[in-house]
Amino acid sequence: QKEVEQNSGPLSVPEGAIASLNCTYSDRGSQSFFWYRQYSGKSPELIMFIYSNGDKEDGRFTAQLNKASQYVSLLIRDSQPSDSATYLCAVNWPGGGADGLTFGKGTHLIIQP
Amino acid sequence: NAGVTQTPKFRILKIGQSMTLQCTQDMNHNYMYWYRQDPGMGLKLIYYSVGAGITDKGEVPNGYNVSRSTTEDFPLRLELAAPSQTSVYFCASSYGKESEAFFGQGTRLTVV
């Protein structure tokens, strides 16, 4: 069973603080991990992807991957009201088929001005 | 660049009607996907394709059909629409299995 788990929130964070979003997945063999941001009524857009254990930084965003713990997180530094959205964690499973990404239900993030 | 284009953006269907959701991409991606998203839920894979002429079922294929006659187009067919098919549908494409997926703007479908 392919499962990606996220806390649905809402997660409320003051403007300027660090927002921490977490995701766990069920298959230890998973190879690639993605964070998408989705504004209400819009389509998902890619924020970060990560393939290797450790941290990957891109501007205010840092993705962290721990394959041993089957855990991936997204940190947003200096949170802005425009960061308020639903953040979807997605995992690509190993195996021969394309299968697509399996998505978590998303965490609703609210940045309080 | 247009990316992934879906039509229509909105549609209301009566129970038992049929329709086709259109999806086209201009990025020459081999991989294409159809997802549905219900309120408060993540995206669930309906069907996917790894190239022209090749399609396969995803997690929730019942009530849907797809075809992939060209690299660019991946239409989703709903036969005998049911209220349970009320959802937002997203088409996506990617360069490879491990690559990021690019999404279309979505189709909001209501079945009444």
PDB file of all heavy atoms in Angstrom, chain B residues 67-83:
ATOM      1  N   SER B  67      -7.191   7.635 -23.875  1.00  0.00           N
ATOM      2  CA  SER B  67      -6.488   7.221 -25.086  1.00  0.00           C
ATOM      3  C   SER B  67      -5.271   8.104 -25.244  1.00  0.00           C
ATOM      4  O   SER B  67      -5.219   9.218 -24.705  1.00  0.00           O
ATOM      5  CB  SER B  67      -7.402   7.315 -26.310  1.00  0.00           C
ATOM      6  OG  SER B  67      -7.845   8.654 -26.484  1.00  0.00           O
ATOM      7  N   ARG B  68      -4.289   7.627 -25.967  1.00  0.00           N
ATOM      8  CA  ARG B  68      -3.075   8.417 -26.205  1.00  0.00           C
ATOM      9  C   ARG B  68      -2.597   8.120 -27.629  1.00  0.00           C
ATOM     10  O   ARG B  68      -1.717   7.308 -27.862  1.00  0.00           O
ATOM     11  CB  ARG B  68      -1.990   8.039 -25.188  1.00  0.00           C
ATOM     12  CG  ARG B  68      -0.738   8.905 -25.297  1.00  0.00           C
ATOM     13  CD  ARG B  68      -0.767  10.080 -24.397  1.00  0.00           C
ATOM     14  NE  ARG B  68       0.405  10.938 -24.549  1.00  0.00           N
ATOM     15  CZ  ARG B  68       1.528  10.773 -23.843  1.00  0.00           C
ATOM     16  NH1 ARG B  68       1.632   9.769 -22.983  1.00  0.00           N
ATOM     17  NH2 ARG B  68       2.541  11.610 -24.022  1.00  0.00           N
ATOM     18  N   SER B  69      -3.216   8.806 -28.573  1.00  0.00           N
ATOM     19  CA  SER B  69      -2.869   8.581 -29.978  1.00  0.00           C
ATOM     20  C   SER B  69      -1.654   9.395 -30.405  1.00  0.00           C
ATOM     21  O   SER B  69      -0.978   9.045 -31.379  1.00  0.00           O
ATOM     22  CB  SER B  69      -4.061   8.897 -30.883  1.00  0.00           C
ATOM     23  OG  SER B  69      -4.478  10.231 -30.677  1.00  0.00           O
ATOM     24  N   THR B  70      -1.372  10.480 -29.697  1.00  0.00           N
ATOM     25  CA  THR B  70      -0.205  11.302 -30.008  1.00  0.00           C
ATOM     26  C   THR B  70       0.554  11.609 -28.711  1.00  0.00           C
ATOM     27  O   THR B  70       0.011  11.457 -27.617  1.00  0.00           O
ATOM     28  CB  THR B  70      -0.598  12.642 -30.665  1.00  0.00           C
ATOM     29  OG1 THR B  70      -1.326  13.433 -29.705  1.00  0.00           O
ATOM     30  CG2 THR B  70      -1.466  12.425 -31.895  1.00  0.00           C
ATOM     31  N   THR B  71       1.776  12.078 -28.844  1.00  0.00           N
ATOM     32  CA  THR B  71       2.546  12.475 -27.657  1.00  0.00           C
ATOM     33  C   THR B  71       1.887  13.653 -26.947  1.00  0.00           C
ATOM     34  O   THR B  71       1.927  13.748 -25.724  1.00  0.00           O
ATOM     35  CB  THR B  71       3.981  12.857 -28.062  1.00  0.00           C
ATOM     36  OG1 THR B  71       4.611  11.720 -28.647  1.00  0.00           O
ATOM     37  CG2 THR B  71       4.800  13.328 -26.863  1.00  0.00           C
ATOM     38  N   GLU B  72       1.258  14.553 -27.704  1.00  0.00           N
ATOM     39  CA  GLU B  72       0.747  15.795 -27.141  1.00  0.00           C
ATOM     40  C   GLU B  72      -0.576  15.641 -26.387  1.00  0.00           C
ATOM     41  O   GLU B  72      -0.829  16.373 -25.446  1.00  0.00           O
ATOM     42  CB  GLU B  72       0.547  16.827 -28.269  1.00  0.00           C
ATOM     43  CG  GLU B  72       1.826  17.281 -28.943  1.00  0.00           C
ATOM     44  CD  GLU B  72       2.362  16.266 -29.940  1.00  0.00           C
ATOM     45  OE1 GLU B  72       1.586  15.396 -30.398  1.00  0.00           O
ATOM     46  OE2 GLU B  72       3.565  16.313 -30.245  1.00  0.00           O
ATOM     47  N   ASP B  73      -1.439  14.738 -26.824  1.00  0.00           N
ATOM     48  CA  ASP B  73      -2.811  14.724 -26.342  1.00  0.00           C
ATOM     49  C   ASP B  73      -3.121  13.502 -25.483  1.00  0.00           C
ATOM     50  O   ASP B  73      -2.733  12.377 -25.807  1.00  0.00           O
ATOM     51  CB  ASP B  73      -3.779  14.767 -27.530  1.00  0.00           C
ATOM     52  CG  ASP B  73      -3.591  16.020 -28.371  1.00  0.00           C
ATOM     53  OD1 ASP B  73      -3.584  17.118 -27.784  1.00  0.00           O
ATOM     54  OD2 ASP B  73      -3.441  15.890 -29.601  1.00  0.00           O
ATOM     55  N   PHE B  74      -3.891  13.738 -24.429  1.00  0.00           N
ATOM     56  CA  PHE B  74      -4.252  12.652 -23.507  1.00  0.00           C
ATOM     57  C   PHE B  74      -5.656  12.938 -22.967  1.00  0.00           C
ATOM     58  O   PHE B  74      -5.845  13.370 -21.836  1.00  0.00           O
ATOM     59  CB  PHE B  74      -3.227  12.587 -22.372  1.00  0.00           C
ATOM     60  CG  PHE B  74      -3.341  11.378 -21.486  1.00  0.00           C
ATOM     61  CD1 PHE B  74      -3.601  10.112 -22.003  1.00  0.00           C
ATOM     62  CD2 PHE B  74      -3.140  11.493 -20.114  1.00  0.00           C
ATOM     63  CE1 PHE B  74      -3.679   9.000 -21.192  1.00  0.00           C
ATOM     64  CE2 PHE B  74      -3.212  10.384 -19.280  1.00  0.00           C
ATOM     65  CZ  PHE B  74      -3.476   9.142 -19.819  1.00  0.00           C
ATOM     66  N   PRO B  75      -6.692  12.695 -23.765  1.00  0.00           N
ATOM     67  CA  PRO B  75      -8.059  12.979 -23.325  1.00  0.00           C
ATOM     68  C   PRO B  75      -8.575  11.954 -22.324  1.00  0.00           C
ATOM     69  O   PRO B  75      -8.223  10.768 -22.388  1.00  0.00           O
ATOM     70  CB  PRO B  75      -8.862  12.925 -24.633  1.00  0.00           C
ATOM     71  CG  PRO B  75      -8.067  12.029 -25.522  1.00  0.00           C
ATOM     72  CD  PRO B  75      -6.630  12.235 -25.166  1.00  0.00           C
ATOM     73  N   LEU B  76      -9.427  12.430 -21.427  1.00  0.00           N
ATOM     74  CA  LEU B  76     -10.070  11.588 -20.416  1.00  0.00           C
ATOM     75  C   LEU B  76     -11.562  11.547 -20.715  1.00  0.00           C
ATOM     76  O   LEU B  76     -12.214  12.582 -20.798  1.00  0.00           O
ATOM     77  CB  LEU B  76      -9.838  12.157 -19.020  1.00  0.00           C
ATOM     78  CG  LEU B  76     -10.505  11.422 -17.855  1.00  0.00           C
ATOM     79  CD1 LEU B  76      -9.823  10.080 -17.605  1.00  0.00           C
ATOM     80  CD2 LEU B  76     -10.478  12.278 -16.590  1.00  0.00           C
ATOM     81  N   ARG B  77     -12.096  10.346 -20.842  1.00  0.00           N
ATOM     82  CA  ARG B  77     -13.504  10.163 -21.186  1.00  0.00           C
ATOM     83  C   ARG B  77     -14.279   9.703 -19.966  1.00  0.00           C
ATOM     84  O   ARG B  77     -13.868   8.754 -19.283  1.00  0.00           O
ATOM     85  CB  ARG B  77     -13.626   9.128 -22.307  1.00  0.00           C
ATOM     86  CG  ARG B  77     -15.042   8.778 -22.723  1.00  0.00           C
ATOM     87  CD  ARG B  77     -15.601   9.813 -23.672  1.00  0.00           C
ATOM     88  NE  ARG B  77     -16.934   9.437 -24.138  1.00  0.00           N
ATOM     89  CZ  ARG B  77     -17.775  10.292 -24.732  1.00  0.00           C
ATOM     90  NH1 ARG B  77     -17.411  11.561 -24.918  1.00  0.00           N
ATOM     91  NH2 ARG B  77     -18.954   9.874 -25.150  1.00  0.00           N
ATOM     92  N   LEU B  78     -15.394  10.391 -19.679  1.00  0.00           N
ATOM     93  CA  LEU B  78     -16.314   9.968 -18.639  1.00  0.00           C
ATOM     94  C   LEU B  78     -17.556   9.401 -19.314  1.00  0.00           C
ATOM     95  O   LEU B  78     -18.205  10.083 -20.107  1.00  0.00           O
ATOM     96  CB  LEU B  78     -16.733  11.125 -17.754  1.00  0.00           C
ATOM     97  CG  LEU B  78     -15.805  11.551 -16.628  1.00  0.00           C
ATOM     98  CD1 LEU B  78     -14.597  12.263 -17.178  1.00  0.00           C
ATOM     99  CD2 LEU B  78     -16.549  12.422 -15.629  1.00  0.00           C
ATOM    100  N   GLU B  79     -17.858   8.172 -19.028  1.00  0.00           N
ATOM    101  CA  GLU B  79     -19.059   7.537 -19.555  1.00  0.00           C
ATOM    102  C   GLU B  79     -20.073   7.413 -18.415  1.00  0.00           C
ATOM    103  O   GLU B  79     -19.716   7.033 -17.309  1.00  0.00           O
ATOM    104  CB  GLU B  79     -18.742   6.136 -20.089  1.00  0.00           C
ATOM    105  CG  GLU B  79     -17.652   6.091 -21.147  1.00  0.00           C
ATOM    106  CD  GLU B  79     -18.152   6.512 -22.518  1.00  0.00           C
ATOM    107  OE1 GLU B  79     -19.345   6.860 -22.651  1.00  0.00           O
ATOM    108  OE2 GLU B  79     -17.334   6.491 -23.466  1.00  0.00           O
ATOM    109  N   LEU B  80     -21.311   7.737 -18.693  1.00  0.00           N
ATOM    110  CA  LEU B  80     -22.388   7.582 -17.699  1.00  0.00           C
ATOM    111  C   LEU B  80     -22.016   8.285 -16.389  1.00  0.00           C
ATOM    112  O   LEU B  80     -21.795   7.650 -15.351  1.00  0.00           O
ATOM    113  CB  LEU B  80     -22.673   6.092 -17.439  1.00  0.00           C
ATOM    114  CG  LEU B  80     -23.155   5.288 -18.656  1.00  0.00           C
ATOM    115  CD1 LEU B  80     -23.274   3.815 -18.310  1.00  0.00           C
ATOM    116  CD2 LEU B  80     -24.498   5.841 -19.141  1.00  0.00           C
ATOM    117  N   ALA B  81     -21.938   9.599 -16.459  1.00  0.00           N
ATOM    118  CA  ALA B  81     -21.493  10.390 -15.313  1.00  0.00           C
ATOM    119  C   ALA B  81     -22.352  10.117 -14.077  1.00  0.00           C
ATOM    120  O   ALA B  81     -23.585   9.964 -14.148  1.00  0.00           O
ATOM    121  CB  ALA B  81     -21.547  11.873 -15.660  1.00  0.00           C
ATOM    122  N   ALA B  82     -21.667  10.069 -12.927  1.00  0.00           N
ATOM    123  CA  ALA B  82     -22.308   9.838 -11.635  1.00  0.00           C
ATOM    124  C   ALA B  82     -21.913  10.956 -10.675  1.00  0.00           C
ATOM    125  O   ALA B  82     -20.847  11.569 -10.831  1.00  0.00           O
ATOM    126  CB  ALA B  82     -21.874   8.491 -11.070  1.00  0.00           C
ATOM    127  N   PRO B  83     -22.754  11.243  -9.657  1.00  0.00           N
ATOM    128  CA  PRO B  83     -22.409  12.300  -8.688  1.00  0.00           C
ATOM    129  C   PRO B  83     -21.046  12.089  -8.041  1.00  0.00           C
ATOM    130  O   PRO B  83     -20.373  13.076  -7.685  1.00  0.00           O
ATOM    131  CB  PRO B  83     -23.549  12.218  -7.676  1.00  0.00           C
ATOM    132  CG  PRO B  83     -24.701  11.689  -8.459  1.00  0.00           C
ATOM    133  CD  PRO B  83     -24.101  10.704  -9.427  1.00  0.00           C
TER     134      PRO B  83
END
